[in-house]
Structure formats: C-alpha cells, structure tokens
Amino acid sequence: MTFKLSAELNGHMSDVRGLVAQGGDILVSVSRDKTGRIWKRAGPNDFVEDSVLLGHTGYVNSVTAIPPTAEYPSGLVATGGTDKTICLWDPTDLSQPTFKLTGHTDNVCALAASSDGRVLVSGSWDKTAKVWIDGVCKYTLGGHQHAVWCVLIMEDGSVLTGSADKIIRRWEGGELKGTFEGHTDCVRALALLPGGRFASAANDGSVRVWSLGSAKCQAELYGHTSFVYTLSVLPDGAIVSGGEDRSVRVWRENELAQIILLPSMSVWTVAALGNGDIACGASDGVVRVFSTEKVRLATPNTLATFEQANASFAVSKKTMGDIDTSKLPGPERLERPGSKDQQVIMVKSGLTVEAYQWDQGKQSWAKVGEVVDAVGQSQKQVFGGKEYDYVFDVDIQEGMPPLKLPFNVTENPYGAAQKFLERNGINLDHLDTVANFIIKNTDGVQLGSGDESVSADPFTGGNRYVPGQSTGSTGVPDPFTGGSRYVPVGSAAYEPPSEYVINSQGNPAGITKKLAEFNAAIADDGAHRLDDEQMQALQKLDFAGPLVLTDDVYAALLKSAMQWPKDKRFPSLDLLRLVAAASPLPATHLVSGKGFVECIGEATEFFELLGDEGRKGLTKPEEVNLMMGARALANAFATPAGADLVWQSRKQVLRALDGSWIKAVNPNLLTALSNLYLNLAIAASRKGDDDEGLSILSAASRFLSCTSNADAQLRLVNVFGVLSHKFQLCKDSARVLGDETIVILGFQGKSDAVKRAAKDVGTFLSS
C-alpha cells in the first residue's frame, strides 16, 4: 500500500502555507501570494480551481474548515495571515469574506475548528491563542513566551496550543490545565489522534505522540532530517508529516511506513483527504495529491515528469546531515536491492553525489536528486574564461540562439540578473523575471552567501538544531522562508541610525500669521477664540535659542489645536510640532488630565482615523492634521521626558500606525508615519526588549512591502537596520519579514539613498 502521485494542482504564485480537505473531493489551499484557492475534483486524478479567495492584504498562512451550522448550512472556511485578521468565507458566496475577526496583533499562523462549527481557535506570533465562539472572542490564552505556532481542539473540548517556547499547553474554559514538555525546539504542528491522544511535531526533527491522561510522551518518531512543519492523520489512524527535508512521511503504529520525496525543499503543509489520499503544499507553490488507489494514480506522462523533476532536484547537504564522500559507495551499490520500500541512499558517481530511492514494486532504484554542496563535490562551468557554479541557457527570442547566464551560488540572484540584462542590453523591467528564474533553477542551494555559520532561531534565540548535523560546522535553511535567502551586495560594516530624527525646521512667523488669521475668523463666543494676550504670547515664541514656554501659553496653543474647526487646526498643530522638539514642557503638562499624546490624538483624531479598519479614505484636512500629529509625536523624542512619554504610549501608537499606510495617499503623511516608526525603533533599541522590537519590526515590514514612497522606504529600511542591529531576535525575524523586499529595494529603491541603505541592511542581515 504505497502512495504515488495522483494529481498536481498549479495556480498559486508562491509558497503554499496551508491546506484543508473537505471529504475526498475538495481542497482549500492558502499561500504567500495573498490568496486562498478552492479546488474540486474533476476526475479520478484531476482537480480544477473552482474559486480564488481575495480578502487578505498580506501572506495567507493558515486555513481550516468550519463544519455546517444552522446559520451556515454550507459551513465556512477560515483563513488567517500576516495582516493579523481572520477571514470567514461562505462557500455559497466567495466574492468577499462573509465577515472578519480582528484582535490579534501579529501574524495569524494557526487555526482549528470544533466539530459542531461553533468554536474557532487561532494562534498568532503575538504569543497568544484566541477562542472564538459564534464569531466572538471568548478567551485570550496568554502565557507562552514566544509565537503560538499551532492549535488543536480535542474531543473533550479542551484546547491545545504549541509554541516556539517548546511547550504544549492545555486549556479548559480559558484556564491553563496542564503542559506537555519534551520537544527541544519550536513546536510547529499538532494533530488529533483517536482515544484522547494527539501528535506533535517540532523543529527538533521529531514527531511525538501524547495522551491527555499523562504528561509523559508515549512515543518519539524520528526520521525527518530537518524541521517538521506539519501533521495530519489519515482515516485509518496513520500519521502524515512534512518538513524542511523535502519529504512527506507516513507513520503506522509509530514506525516509518513511507517517504514521499518532492522536487521542493519545504513541505509546509499536509492534509488527509476523506478517501485516504494525502495532499501537500510546498515552497514551489504546487499542491500535490498522492493516493494508494490505482484508479486515482496520475497519468504516465505526469508521473514521468514528476520523477524527472525529483531526479534533477538539487538537494542541499544541509538538510541531510554531514556527508563524507570518501565513505560513500559507488554506482555498483545500485546493483543490490534496497532493504525496504522507499529506502533512500546516496552514491558517489565521479565528483557527483546522487540520491536514490528504492521502489519495491518496480524492484529498482529511482534517482531523486543530486546533493549539490556535499564535501568534495566540484562541478564548475566556464563562461568568459571564468568558472561558475551554473551557466544557464536563456531563450529570449524564438529563432535566436540562447543567451548565457552565468551564476555562482555565492552571488545575489538579483545582482547576477542585473549584470545579465545590462550585458545583453535588455530592459531592467525583466529583473524580477530573471532573478526568479535563477532562484527556481537553483532551488535547494543556499543562495548568496558563502557563510556557513549556524543561524539563530528567530523565536527562541537559540541555535537551530538539525538532526544528524554537527553543531557549529554548517548552516541550515531558514525555517520560515524555505531555505534560500538572498544576500545583497553592500558594506558589511553597517552602523544603523542611533539618533532620533527630529523635524525642527519651520517658519514660526508664517505659522503664527496664519494662526492669527484663523483666530480672527473664529466666532467671538468666548469659548474657542484666543484673546489678544494669548495671541501675542504665541507670536513672541522664539525658537532661535532655548525656548521659553509657560503653562498658560502652551494651554492656549492646545486650545486652538483641539477646539477649533478641523480645517483650521493645522497652524496650531504645526506650532505644537516645533514646541515638542524645543521644550520638555509638553511631556509634563496636563490639560484636564490629558497628556501630550492624548491631546495630539484628540486634536488630529490620530487613533480614531488610523485605527478604524473600516475607514477607506481620508479627507484633505484629515490628512494634513494627521501628518502634523505624526510629526509632533516624532518630535517629542527630542527631549528625554518626551521620549519617555511616547514610549510609554507605544502600544497605542503602534496599533494606530499598523495599517495606516493603506488609507494614506499624501506623500508627506507617509513620510511622517514612517519617521514615527523609525523613532520608535530607536527608542526600542534604548529602552525596550526584543519582543517590543519585534512588534515594531513586524508592523514596519507590512508598511515597507506596500509603499513606493522613497522617503518612507528609506526610514523603514533603517527600522530593519536599527532593530536587527540591537536584537538578535529581530535580526533573524527580519529575514522572514522583509529580506526579499530589502534585496529588491537594493536595486529598485525609489532613490539612491534607499538603494544604498537597503544594500547595507541586507548585507548585515545575511552576516
């Protein structure tokens, strides 16, 4: 009973991060291409794309199916992602989400639903899980020290959460009831087993079996040679796992029954279909289905193509442990049969190390890849008198000879692509296409770095462990992006900005002239208009030297900023910006119990307008006021008291900032918002810890991926630099959140300053 390829589902444009099966004929997949897709069976070995789910603004990383209820007789599909939202979709109308659940403050990476369709549990990088009952958050489960990577609802209704802190916790009614400890690295997946049992998988390369009745692990299943990301359970109780070693593995009675190798390094997700088939999603963007039933096997042509893709796949030694080629057998080993079905061996053929898998049914060995970076391997190709790891033939125009594209694995793919285009006089608009060609055709090779140092886990801070690999000698693939990181060319001696960016330039005389003009137009009702003494005091403010500011003058300025009509507040807000940069008084002065941050918020509606996710756009006066408010908050960092005050309000400010760029059109507003991000990052480097830095980094990464504003790009790239330079957690997480964006900005940034900063930060991230 061996699983073989049944179907390949092509449609996603990036990694498939989540899968759920509904019966034997429907699959739902989600991807880093920001979409979900529903696939329906069109034949024994064929699925077709039925619908595309468009509702998220970031990567979609989690999915689950919610069973039918009286209100939703067709059930619902839930999806979550880096936009921090959960979208609920009704299969009868998939044009838009039926509704959204909000509350998490970071990536929603795990979802699970109860069998009655009433309870949904979500897990997030914000270190919490949430229990939603009938669409309302009933409990927030806090206590984990790092990201909650996986969640599970048991048959008795209790909830399990697995985390990067290596601990599995059990909850009932929102209260912690127990823990399960044993994994030595991030817990990445949980799956329900019959009889009150469950399985877990982790970055330590193990699958473990537990029972709710005991905190002691019942079984440890080893076989994966790298991180294990995903679990599912077949109808007959067999466990299915997938991970960073390009394999799907089937376990029966706690023993490895089969290895399914894929031509893709990262198997992010597996799902068991109701008919006993297995579906998996991987870093190549393809969903594959495997079956033991002959009637559902793929066509001979599809099988041959799949086997050829496996045979030509470049396997990284880093996922297979240390390989001493001097001790490997030669091709003569292939003349002897394997000891069991699906056994994988390596043989040395000349200077090449090749991997083969035994097919018990065919009684033959099938090549499943070449180990590209094994000890002693050397396969250089020559172009232009120089040796390269690869020299690709690129067909540009039909009927014309192909162009040669040389590439070394220590190069940045985007740099090599740029050189190729410039050398052949091809428009740089094709940069992404050529770079992606290089990345795809060197899949499995660590790109862009000759550094073999061990990386630190972005959530635990410790060195990642790969079973079978000697510590300290080799690197491992990034467990979140799937192996290949891109390393830009730049200066390794990177020093990030260390001083707050303060906008103290202005024309006080012009500002107070406009202030007086507006004041004269205010109705003389004794409530809002400033009297002559107050206006004269504001006009006498001297910013040329140390600013002399009294409580009464400051109170008058706040009065005009907070009580005047909204379209006439901007001169007062502009003057507040200058005052905040020149005096500590705003940080200590209270107006009716309100401090500076609250006053700016009320005057500009900073927290209401930016925090309202349902608000689609901003009026011009709103944009101007928000810009002045963001500048004032950023300028408060100019004094120690002001910096402390804004830092104390960082969570409120960050909640408003995150997603604000979606509404903002005014380029000056975008610059002001990004400048506030940068000052918060510098404050975190002085006053905060790594978790606070990660909160700022995560939000800034979403802004950076969405903006083409040069000034905003420059500041946000430096947010990455500041936080990564200070906190190792942020440095490793930056490789997940924005590594690719920063590399691209190194070549396509909107200004030379952006390109230089992106190259410097990118090089530092890769070091």
Side-chain angles (χ1 to χ4, degrees):
M1 194 167 66
T2 301
F3 284 94
K4 295 183 181 295
L5 183 68
S6 172
E8 291 190 336
L9 287 55
N10 293 281
H12 283 295
M13 305 303 291
S14 189
D15 302 44
V16 177
R17 296 302 302 264
L19 270 177
V20 65
Q22 295 180 294
D25 298 329
I26 298 177
L27 288 168
V28 185
S29 59
V30 295
S31 168
R32 285 180 56 149
D33 65 10
K34 303 181 183 181
T35 73
R37 295 173 192 261
I38 296 179
W39 311 84
K40 293 186 177 180
R41 188 180 292 278
N45 56 6
D46 185 29
F47 283 77
V48 295
E49 183 183 286
D50 180 74
S51 305
V52 179
L53 309 181
L54 299 173
H56 288 281
T57 58
Y59 300 153
V60 192
N61 291 323
S62 54
V63 62
T64 194
I66 301 176
T69 62
E71 185 175 3
Y72 296 101
S74 299
L76 294 168
V77 172
T79 58
T82 59
D83 59 7
K84 304 176 293 184
T85 64
I86 302 167
C87 292
L88 281 299
W89 308 82
D90 187 336
T92 62
D93 181 8
L94 296 169
S95 58
Q96 61 183 1
T98 304
F99 55 96
K100 294 185 178 182
L101 305 179
T102 59
H104 281 295
T105 59
D106 214 320
N107 176 32
V108 180
C109 54
L111 292 168
S114 63
S115 58
D116 64 2
R118 293 192 59 213
V119 181
L120 179 68
V121 182
S122 55
S124 170
W125 283 14
D126 64 12
K127 300 184 285 189
T128 72
K130 291 183 181 291
V131 180
W132 311 80
I133 299 180
D134 296 330
V136 177
C137 184
K138 181 71 172 178
Y139 308 111
T140 296
L141 311 180
H144 283 293
Q145 298 303 304
H146 295 289
V148 177
W149 273 110
C150 46
V151 295
L152 180 66
I153 301 176
M154 297 298 292
E155 293 169 326
D156 64 358
S158 62
V159 172
L160 299 181
T161 56
S163 168
D165 63 12
K166 313 172 192 176
I167 297 173
I168 301 167
R169 295 174 183 253
R170 185 188 181 205
W171 311 80
E172 290 182 3
E175 296 184 358
L176 180 64
K177 294 299 182 181
T179 61
F180 301 85
E181 300 185 42
H183 282 295
T184 59
D185 210 331
C186 306
V187 180
R188 299 297 296 268
L190 295 166
L192 182 65
L193 294 171
R197 299 179 304 135
F198 67 93
S200 62
N203 278 5
D204 60 15
S206 73
V207 176
R208 295 174 182 243
V209 177
W210 312 78
S211 172
L212 287 185
S214 171
K216 186 177 180 180
C217 178
Q218 293 186 337
E220 299 178 23
L221 315 181
Y222 286 98
H224 282 283
T225 58
S226 191
F227 313 115
V228 187
Y229 296 141
T230 177
L231 292 172
S232 191
V233 179
L234 291 168
D236 63 4
I239 298 172
V240 182
S241 59
E244 186 63 21
D245 57 3
R246 64 176 287 219
S247 77
V248 174
R249 296 178 186 244
V250 182
W251 310 82
R252 298 187 187 278
E253 298 181 356
N254 298 336
E255 296 291 335
L256 182 60
Q258 185 179 349
I259 304 171
I260 304 170
L261 293 177
L262 302 181
S264 181
M265 187 56 66
S266 306
V267 181
W268 292 118
T269 178
V270 294
L273 281 71
N275 59 5
D277 289 355
I278 296 171
C280 64
S283 51
D284 61 0
V286 180
V287 177
R288 293 179 175 87
V289 180
F290 296 87
S291 181
T292 60
E293 298 296 326
K294 187 174 181 179
V295 69
R296 292 199 293 271
L297 296 187
T299 64
N301 285 342
T302 302
L303 282 170
T305 301
F306 175 71
E307 291 171 358
Q308 179 57 41
N310 260 335
S312 60
F313 186 76
V315 185
S316 173
K317 180 186 74 107
K318 299 176 180 64
T319 67
M320 305 188 72
D322 290 328
I323 301 170
D324 184 350
T325 58
S326 66
K327 296 182 180 180
L328 290 178
E332 66 276 4
R333 172 62 182 87
L334 302 177
E335 297 174 4
R336 303 199 310 270
S339 59
K340 61 180 180 178
D341 192 29
Q342 308 300 304
Q343 178 189 7
V344 177
I345 64 170
M346 283 174 287
V347 300
K348 186 177 180 181
S349 178
L351 295 175
T352 303
V353 175
E354 298 174 335
Y356 287 84
Q357 186 173 42
W358 178 250
D359 187 321
Q360 189 73 31
K362 294 181 179 179
Q363 287 289 297
S364 64
W365 292 98
K367 184 180 176 183
V368 291
E370 294 184 0
V371 186
V372 297
D373 49 0
V375 178
Q377 180 169 326
S378 177
Q379 287 183 298
K380 294 289 186 179
Q381 300 182 56
V382 177
F383 174 78
K386 296 181 180 180
E387 290 187 337
Y388 292 89
D389 294 313
Y390 299 91
V391 177
F392 298 111
D393 286 330
V394 181
D395 290 315
I396 297 296
Q397 184 176 346
E398 187 175 357
M400 298 294 290
L403 301 176
K404 298 294 184 181
L405 170 54
F407 179 72
N408 280 317
V409 296
T410 54
E411 287 185 271
N412 168 21
Y414 281 85
Q418 183 181 31
K419 292 176 184 176
F420 169 77
L421 294 174
E422 291 175 345
R423 183 171 62 250
N424 292 285
I426 301 172
N427 194 304
L428 286 177
D429 289 344
H430 298 287
L431 181 67
D432 284 340
T433 302
V434 177
N436 287 328
F437 170 86
I438 295 172
I439 294 164
K440 180 179 179 180
N441 285 279
T442 53
D443 196 9
V445 183
Q446 183 177 352
L447 300 180
S449 175
D451 181 9
E452 296 289 326
S453 60
V454 175
S455 301
D457 188 285
F459 292 98
T460 65
N463 286 339
R464 301 187 189 113
Y465 164 67
V466 180
Q469 187 176 59
S470 63
T471 59
S473 63
T474 59
V476 297
D478 188 315
F480 304 104
T481 60
S484 300
R485 288 196 291 109
Y486 323 133
V487 182
V489 179
S491 170
Y494 172 71
E495 287 295 331
S498 58
E499 299 299 325
Y500 297 116
V501 179
I502 307 301
N503 183 351
S504 57
Q505 301 298 313
N507 179 6
I511 295 172
T512 52
K513 180 179 179 181
K514 179 61 70 172
L515 195 67
E517 176 187 326
F518 283 171
N519 188 58
I522 298 293
D524 189 10
D525 57 7
H528 303 314
R529 186 175 180 179
L530 302 182
D531 60 34
D532 292 343
E533 183 178 349
Q534 291 171 322
M535 273 304 311
Q536 289 173 8
L538 290 173
Q539 289 171 331
K540 290 180 180 179
L541 289 175
D542 184 6
F543 293 91
L547 180 66
V548 178
L549 182 68
T550 66
D551 287 352
D552 289 342
V553 174
Y554 178 63
L557 182 57
L558 282 178
K559 176 182 176 180
S560 60
M562 298 172 68
Q563 297 180 8
W564 281 11
K566 295 177 183 178
D567 62 346
K568 291 180 170 54
R569 293 181 182 180
F570 66 87
S572 304
L573 291 168
D574 204 11
L575 203 56
L576 273 174
R577 167 185 67 87
L578 297 178
V579 164
S583 171
L585 188 146
T588 58
H589 187 93
L590 297 178
V591 176
S592 301
K594 299 174 183 176
F596 179 72
V597 174
E598 288 76 16
C599 289
I600 291 295
E602 184 174 321
T604 64
E605 298 180 281
F606 190 88
F607 303 110
E608 290 78 8
L609 290 175
L610 295 182
D612 182 3
E613 295 187 0
R615 184 70 177 267
K616 299 300 183 184
L618 299 168
T619 65
K620 186 173 181 179
E622 288 172 342
E623 282 197 324
V624 171
N625 290 347
L626 287 170
M627 175 186 67
M628 296 298 182
R631 288 176 174 177
L633 291 174
N635 275 8
F637 285 96
T639 67
D644 287 341
L645 182 67
V646 180
W647 180 247
Q648 290 167 9
S649 303
R650 61 191 178 278
K651 291 184 179 179
Q652 182 185 18
V653 173
L654 199 58
R655 278 196 298 270
L657 284 177
D658 196 7
S660 58
W661 57 87
I662 298 173
K663 306 180 184 70
V665 176
N666 187 312
N668 293 324
L669 173 56
L670 289 169
T671 301
L673 294 172
S674 63
N675 199 67
L676 186 50
Y677 267 110
L678 179 55
N679 282 357
L680 283 169
I682 294 172
S685 72
R686 298 181 180 185
K687 309 169 184 290
D689 57 27
D690 52 5
D691 282 331
E692 289 163 334
L694 183 59
S695 296
I696 297 168
L697 181 72
S698 182
S701 72
R702 291 186 279 273
F703 191 172
L704 182 60
S705 67
C706 295
T707 185
S708 59
N709 179 283
D711 291 330
Q713 286 179 346
L714 180 60
R715 287 158 175 78
L716 294 167
V717 166
N718 278 313
V719 168
F720 273 75
V722 169
L723 295 173
S724 299
H725 198 269
K726 175 65 176 179
F727 304 114
Q728 184 65 39
L729 173 66
C730 290
K731 183 177 181 181
D732 291 317
S733 298
R735 294 167 179 164
V736 182
L737 296 169
D739 197 19
E740 184 173 348
T741 300
I742 288 175
V743 170
I744 294 172
L745 289 177
F747 295 96
Q748 297 182 344
K750 292 298 181 179
S751 70
D752 289 340
V754 173
K755 293 175 184 177
R756 285 194 300 270
K759 289 178 180 179
D760 286 344
V761 172
T763 298
F764 175 72
L765 291 179
S766 69
S767 64

